[in-house]
Amino acid sequence: IPKEMMSEQTKIFINPTGKFTIGGPIADSGLTGRKIMVDTYGSIARHGGGAFSGKDYTKVDRSGAYMARFIAKNIVANNLADKCEVALSFAIGVEKPIGINIETFNTNKIPLEEIYKKVEKIDLSLNGIIELLNLKNIKYQETTNYGHFGKENMPWEKVIEL
């Protein structure tokens, strides 16, 4: 890693859980290829390649995407920006996201640093996401047609004050 990219705040995670038990198709199966495009707004939003199918709310592929939607929607709904995309990066065995990226496409109405401060007040641990979005009590069957987002009855669509 080039020296200029390193600092006192740099953290490097290599297998943070210290173990690797099951991986590959047996652990991550599901109808992935076709659903990825629907799960990400018909490929408008960038994604890391993970799909929701075959994963429950305890997997950050699903819960993290719901939380990213929730944050982005609330940034726009709170009139902090006209357009917003949020990316959350998780590492296995690390409680909170190791990276948060907020892209407003230069439509932010307050400094981006202030938006980050508002987002940092939200508990972005897996348990915090599950609790805030009430993911244990969702009728996920409603997400099987026409994608997961834009359905106003889903908790990741609710608007709160940031």
Side-chain angles (χ1 to χ4, degrees), residues 1-12:
I1 300 174
K3 228 178 210 181
E4 61 271 10
M5 295 181 76
M6 303 296 286
S7 74
E8 292 293 321
Q9 290 77 35
T10 301
K11 295 179 183 175
I12 298 174

Side-chain angles (χ1 to χ4, degrees), residues 28-150:
D28 293 317
S29 62
L31 180 67
T32 55
R34 293 184 303 272
K35 280 291 284 171
I36 289 174
M37 293 304 111
V38 172
D39 293 345
T40 57
Y41 304 95
S43 75
I44 291 171
R46 295 170 275 200
H47 59 80
F52 300 161
S53 46
K55 297 181 176 111
D56 66 26
Y57 61 85
T58 66
K59 306 298 182 266
V60 292
D61 302 65
R62 180 182 284 267
S63 55
Y66 293 156
M67 181 53 85
R69 163 64 179 188
F70 177 79
I71 293 168
K73 178 168 182 163
N74 276 280
I75 287 171
V76 173
N78 280 264
N79 205 29
L80 305 177
D82 292 327
K83 189 175 180 182
C84 186
E85 180 180 78
V86 173
L88 302 174
S89 301
F90 292 88
I92 296 170
V94 179
E95 183 182 12
K96 294 188 177 188
I98 60 170
I100 302 170
N101 186 58
I102 300 170
E103 175 61 67
T104 62
F105 307 95
N106 296 318
T107 67
N108 48 300
K109 298 176 182 183
I110 64 171
L112 210 45
E113 297 79 29
E114 289 183 37
I115 296 175
Y116 274 99
K117 286 179 184 174
K118 291 176 180 291
V119 170
E120 288 170 0
K121 293 178 184 175
I122 300 170
D123 182 357
L124 295 176
S125 68
L126 178 59
N127 287 333
I129 293 169
I130 291 169
E131 185 177 314
L132 179 64
L133 299 180
N134 195 25
L135 297 181
K136 291 181 182 177
N137 299 306
I138 302 297
K139 294 180 182 174
Y140 289 98
Q141 187 173 8
E142 294 178 26
T143 66
T144 60
N145 293 314
Y146 311 108
H148 296 248
F149 305 114

